[in-house]
Amino acid sequence: MRHETKQNVNRVLPFLLGILAVTAGYLPYLVLRENCVIPVSDQLDGEIVTYYLGAKHLFDGRSVFPEVMCGVSRNALIPPSFLTVLFYAVLPPFPAFLLNQYCVLLAAFTGMYLLQKELGIDVKIAFCVAVFFAYLPFYSVYGLSVAGLPLLVYAVIRLCRGGKKLPCYVLIALYCFSSSLVLIGYAVLGALVLAAVFAIAKRKYPKELLIAFFLSLACYVLQNMSLLLQVFAGNGEPSHKEEIVLQGVRFLDGLKGILWEGNAYAPTCQKYLVIPIAAVLFFGGIFYKRCGTQSRNLLKLTGLLTGLILLIGLFYAAANCNAVVQIRNQIGGLVKYFQADRIYWFYPLLWYLAFGCALQIIYAELPRVCAWCAGIAVLGCVGVAVLLGSNFKLNVHQMFKPETLKMVSWEQYFDEALYAEIMEYIEEEAGMTQSEYRVASLGIQPAVAVMNGFYTIDMYSNNYSLAYKHAFRRIIERELDRSALNILYFDDWGNRCYLCSAEYGFASYFGKQYGIVYHSLELNTEAMAEMNCKYILSAGEIQTAEEMNLCLERIFEEEDSYYRVYLYRIE
C-alpha cells in the first residue's frame, strides 16, 4: 500500500510542481494589479473591446454594436474565444483579463505536459519543456488558439488510442469554443482531415478522427454562423477587406524570418531550439541502429515534426512572396485577404514537442553523466532565453524598475479616472449622455474611449463595412493626400480606422510626456458632424483648430495620468 501511494505521489508531483511554477509566473500580475504591463498591440487596442462589447450584448440579440463606428456589425468584432466572453460577462474587464490569462497559462502547461507523457517522454523532461512552453509570451486574448493546441492534440491522440471518450470530447469542444476559426480553426480542421486521409491510406478506418473533425466543425459553425453566411452567402455589406492590397516580401527573406525569428502571434524562441534538435536528428540518423525502440520512434517523430516545421515555413514564405502576392491581389476575394499562412500558429506546439523528443533521446541514449550534462546545458540556455522574453520578466521589471521599462500599464493605458472626468464634464456642460453623441480620438487609441464608455466613430476592426471606410476616408482625406505612408496604411489595409496626420501618421500611443503638437492638421469636421461626432479627444494641441471649426473646451490632465487630453468640440 505504501509503495502504491509513493508511486501515485511520484506520478502527480511533477504536474503539481508545474502548476506551482506557472502560478509563480503569474504572481507579478497579482502583486501589480492594474499597474501590470501588457503588450498593447492587438490586445488592449483591439481584442479587449471585442470581449467587452461581446459580453455587454451577449443576450440582447443585437446584430449591430452601437458603441463603435456609428454602429458596426457584430461580425466586425468577433471575439477570438467565445468562452472568454463569459469571464467578461460576470467580471469587470481587468479581473476578466487576468482570469483568462491564468487559464491560458494552465492550459498551455497541462496540454504540453500530458502530450509528452502520452508519447512516452520522461516526466522530468515533460515538466521542464511544458513549463518553458507555458512561459512563452502568448497573446492571451486569442484564448487557447495557440497555447491550447497541445491539449487538443493530446485529446485526439487519447481518443484514437481508445481512451475514455467523454473527457476527450470535452477537451476538443473546450479548445474549439476557446479558439478562433479564422485564426487557427481552419488549420485544425484541415489537419484532422489530412490525418484521416493518412489513416485511410494505411488501410485504417479513422472513426475517431472523423468524430473529432465533425465535433470541431460543429463547434466552430455554431460560433461563426453569421460570419460564414457573410463570406459564403453574401449576407451583409461588403467588407473593407475587398480593397486590401497585400504587400509581398522576397521568398528567402520570408522563409528566414519565419524559421529563425518566428512571429509575435506564435512565439517560440526557436533559434535556441534549432541546434539541439538538429544535433539529435544528425547523430540519431548516424547511430540509428544502436538506438532503442522508443528512441527510434521518437527520432521518427522528431523528423516528422521538423518536416512539418519546414513545410509550414515554405508555405508561409510562398504565400507572402512578391509573385504569389501579386497573383492573390489580382484574383481578389477570399484568396486575397484570407491569411491561410497562419498555419504557422502551430509552430510553438511543433517546436517544443520536437524539443521534448530530442531531450528524451539524449536522456535515453547517452551515458547518464553525459546525458545529464547535455540536458542541463540545453535546458539552461533555452530556459534563460524563454524567461528573458516572457511576460513574467516584463512585469518583474515593472515591479522593481518601472521607470526604465518604458511600457504603459493597464491603469495608465485606460486612465479611467481621467476619462470619467471628461465624461462628467461633457454631461454637465452639454447635457448629453454618452449614447447621444460620438467622439473621435487623435493620437490615442479609440479602444481607450470605448472601454471608458464613450461611443466612437473610430476603432480597430478587421472586418467592417467598405461603405464606412469610404465615409471615414472623407474625414482624413487631406492628411492622406499629404503622406504616401498614410495612403498605404489606410487605403491598402485600413484595419485601423483612425484619425491620422501627415506629421505623426496613424501613431496613437502618445502620453503627455511626448509633448505632441499638431501644427498643420486638416480634418473634414463637416463629415465628422454628419456622423454625430461632437468631440475630438486629442493627445496634443491642434494649432489649426480654428480653421477646422474646432473649439478647445478644456485640457484634462492629472499629476499621475498618462495622457494629457485636449477636448475639442466640433462647432
Side-chain angles (χ1 to χ4, degrees):
M1 177 71 72
R2 189 175 297 173
H3 178 69
E4 188 175 320
T5 303
K6 186 178 179 181
Q7 281 186 324
N8 290 335
V9 170
N10 290 338
R11 191 181 303 118
V12 175
L13 186 60
F15 178 77
L16 294 178
L17 289 175
I19 296 298
L20 286 175
V22 170
T23 303
Y26 183 74
L27 287 178
Y29 291 100
L30 299 181
V31 173
L32 292 167
R33 299 176 67 82
E34 285 88 348
N35 198 37
C36 69
V37 293
I38 298 158
V40 171
S41 181
D42 290 318
Q43 295 204 98
L44 303 188
D45 67 350
E47 300 299 355
I48 195 82
V49 175
T50 69
Y51 290 116
Y52 170 71
L53 295 180
K56 184 177 179 180
H57 299 293
L58 185 59
F59 300 112
D60 64 11
R62 284 181 181 268
S63 60
V64 172
F65 292 161
E67 291 85 353
V68 298
M69 292 178 160
C70 300
V72 71
S73 167
R74 183 182 287 267
N75 288 342
L77 296 171
I78 295 177
S81 165
F82 173 75
L83 289 182
T84 303
V85 175
L86 301 180
F87 296 159
Y88 287 80
V90 298
L91 293 171
F94 182 69
F97 181 91
L98 284 194
L99 178 59
N100 180 61
Q101 178 101 344
Y102 188 56
C103 290
V104 169
L105 295 177
L106 289 181
F109 170 79
T110 302
M112 184 56 75
Y113 180 80
L114 293 177
L115 178 56
Q116 289 178 97
K117 279 194 65 182
E118 185 66 23
L119 296 174
I121 294 173
D122 185 84
V123 291
K124 294 184 289 295
I125 294 171
F127 165 82
C128 293
V129 174
V131 169
F132 292 170
F133 183 78
Y135 268 70
L136 292 174
F138 296 116
Y139 284 12
S140 63
V141 291
Y142 295 124
L144 300 186
S145 294
V146 180
L149 280 170
L151 197 61
L152 173 68
V153 174
Y154 166 76
V156 172
I157 290 176
R158 287 293 300 157
L159 192 63
C160 292
R161 288 182 172 180
K164 293 182 180 179
K165 289 181 171 53
L166 182 59
C168 295
Y169 295 153
V170 170
L171 289 177
I172 292 170
L174 174 67
Y175 175 83
C176 294
F177 280 113
S178 302
S179 62
S180 167
L181 170 64
V182 174
L183 299 177
I184 190 62
Y186 72 94
V188 168
L189 295 173
L192 289 170
V193 169
L194 288 175
V197 170
F198 181 74
I200 292 171
K202 296 188 72 173
R203 298 181 180 180
K204 295 180 180 178
Y205 178 58
K207 175 185 173 183
E208 291 77 13
L209 286 171
L210 292 175
I211 291 174
F213 170 79
F214 285 111
L215 174 59
S216 302
L217 181 63
C219 292
Y220 282 127
V221 169
L222 279 174
Q223 299 172 78
N224 297 276
M225 180 62 75
S226 61
L227 178 63
L228 293 171
L229 288 174
Q230 178 191 1
V231 174
F232 296 109
N235 287 17
E237 298 181 77
S239 171
H240 83 285
K241 289 184 174 183
E242 297 294 338
E243 289 188 345
I244 282 179
V245 178
L246 302 176
Q247 305 297 321
V249 297
R250 290 175 62 246
F251 177 84
L252 291 179
D253 290 341
L255 184 62
K256 177 185 175 184
I258 198 66
L259 288 179
W260 188 248
E261 298 294 338
N263 190 284
Y265 296 107
T268 55
C269 296
Q270 66 251 42
K271 64 175 71 173
Y272 303 100
L273 307 179
V274 170
I275 292 177
I277 293 172
V280 166
L281 287 174
F282 178 76
F283 289 108
I286 293 175
F287 299 106
Y288 181 77
K289 292 184 179 180
R290 298 185 185 180
C291 295
T293 302
Q294 186 201 32
S295 294
R296 290 184 185 185
N297 291 335
L298 288 178
L299 196 60
K300 292 176 184 176
L301 179 57
T302 307
L304 174 62
L305 294 169
T306 305
L308 289 173
I309 288 169
L310 291 173
L311 284 174
I312 289 173
L314 289 168
F315 179 78
Y316 174 88
N320 291 283
C321 74
N322 292 312
V324 173
V325 162
Q326 187 175 358
I327 294 171
R328 289 171 64 190
N329 281 329
Q330 290 174 348
I331 294 174
L334 202 61
V335 173
K336 177 177 69 172
Y337 58 73
F338 182 65
Q339 293 180 262
D341 58 293
R342 277 204 180 106
I343 55 173
Y344 70 79
W345 282 32
F346 276 103
Y347 264 10
L349 163 67
L350 298 176
W351 277 106
Y352 279 81
L353 189 55
F355 181 51
C357 292
L359 288 175
Q360 178 62 34
I361 294 168
I362 292 172
Y363 181 72
E365 299 304 325
L366 288 182
R368 190 61 65 221
V369 175
C370 294
W372 275 98
C373 290
I376 290 172
V378 171
L379 286 170
C381 292
V382 174
V384 169
V386 170
L387 198 61
L388 290 177
S390 68
N391 292 325
F392 170 75
K393 182 255 183 183
L394 285 179
N395 280 287
V396 169
H397 193 159
Q398 174 75 351
M399 287 172 66
F400 296 104
K401 288 189 176 181
E403 67 280 357
T404 63
L405 185 58
K406 296 181 180 178
M407 287 182 67
V408 295
S409 66
W410 175 288
E411 184 176 40
Q412 289 174 319
Y413 182 76
F414 289 113
D415 220 336
E416 293 178 16
L418 189 69
Y419 272 73
E421 189 179 342
I422 297 170
M423 187 178 293
E424 184 180 346
Y425 173 84
I426 293 174
E427 191 167 346
E428 289 179 356
E429 294 297 316
M432 295 185 294
T433 60
Q434 303 96 290
S435 61
E436 296 178 292
Y437 65 93
R438 298 188 178 276
V439 303
S441 299
L442 178 64
I444 304 172
Q445 295 284 344
V448 178
V450 176
M451 294 296 290
N452 279 291
F454 286 96
Y455 284 54
T456 72
I457 65 170
D458 45 359
M459 190 51 208
Y460 178 100
S461 171
N462 56 20
N463 184 32
Y464 63 96
S465 159
L466 180 61
Y468 191 81
K469 180 183 177 182
H470 291 166
F472 194 88
R473 193 187 192 283
R474 290 177 56 213
I475 298 171
I476 57 174
E477 185 172 12
R478 292 165 194 161
E479 295 301 317
L480 295 180
D481 291 342
R482 295 165 58 198
S483 169
L485 287 177
N486 283 353
I487 287 180
L488 187 69
Y489 196 81
F490 187 79
D491 287 352
D492 291 359
W493 186 55
N495 282 10
R496 284 193 166 89
C497 192
Y498 293 2
L499 298 184
C500 67
S501 70
E503 291 176 276
Y504 301 108
F506 282 84
S508 48
Y509 297 100
F510 294 132
K512 61 186 178 183
Q513 71 272 24
Y514 290 93
I516 295 299
V517 176
Y518 294 94
H519 296 94
S520 56
L521 186 69
E522 292 185 71
L523 299 176
N524 186 340
T525 54
E526 291 181 6
M528 297 176 75
E530 290 172 12
M531 295 180 176
N532 194 31
C533 183
K534 304 293 187 183
Y535 298 96
I536 293 177
L537 308 175
S538 175
E541 178 190 355
I542 301 174
Q543 293 190 338
T544 54
E546 189 174 341
E547 291 91 319
M548 293 186 291
N549 295 319
L550 294 177
C551 174
L552 178 61
E553 289 278 306
R554 183 175 157 187
I555 301 172
F556 291 86
E557 177 186 2
E558 299 294 337
E559 185 178 347
D560 58 348
S561 64
Y562 178 72
Y563 303 107
R564 180 186 296 119
V565 179
Y566 292 73
L567 180 66
Y568 287 93
R569 176 170 48 85
I570 299 174
E571 296 182 315

